[in-house]
Amino acid sequence: DNVSRDYDTKSVTVQGNVEITIGDQKLSCDRAVLNLEKKTVVASGNVLLQSPTTVIQATKIEYNYQTKTGQIENGVVQSGQI
């Protein structure tokens, strides 16, 4: 696993067996780039994003974890009572 931080872009890149928890949301993937200023994450490789009512599996997700909105690439969404 590898973590690097870019102070100029206010971002953190995590690679390997990535697991991130933000509030009630859990994200796992192979690589994630978090922009701490914009409150966004770009996750790629075996992406799984879970909340109490939604599960998303995809190859890539661009997600704003503050507004809980984003874009899914090559994915499946299961929503409702899980």
Side-chain angles (χ1 to χ4, degrees):
D1 297 346
N2 185 22
V3 178
S4 62
R5 182 168 184 158
D6 185 328
Y7 290 96
D8 294 332
T9 62
K10 297 183 178 151
S11 66
V12 176
T13 301
V14 186
Q15 296 184 78
N17 187 21
V18 179
E19 293 185 6
I20 301 169
T21 301
I22 302 169
D24 63 354
Q25 302 168 80
K26 294 181 182 180
L27 172 69
S28 61
C29 60
D30 296 332
R31 183 176 191 271
V33 179
L34 292 95
N35 184 306
L36 305 175
E37 185 174 46
K38 295 179 182 178
K39 310 284 191 231
T40 59
V41 60
V42 177
S44 58
N46 300 306
V47 180
L48 179 64
L49 178 62
Q50 297 176 292
S51 75
T53 59
T54 306
V55 174
I56 301 170
Q57 293 178 297
T59 57
K60 182 178 178 182
I61 292 178
E62 296 180 27
Y63 185 66
N64 183 307
Y65 53 85
Q66 186 171 34
T67 63
K68 298 183 180 180
T69 60
Q71 295 182 356
I72 303 164
E73 199 173 288
N74 298 320
V76 176
V77 177
Q78 181 181 357
S79 185
Q81 190 172 9
I82 299 174

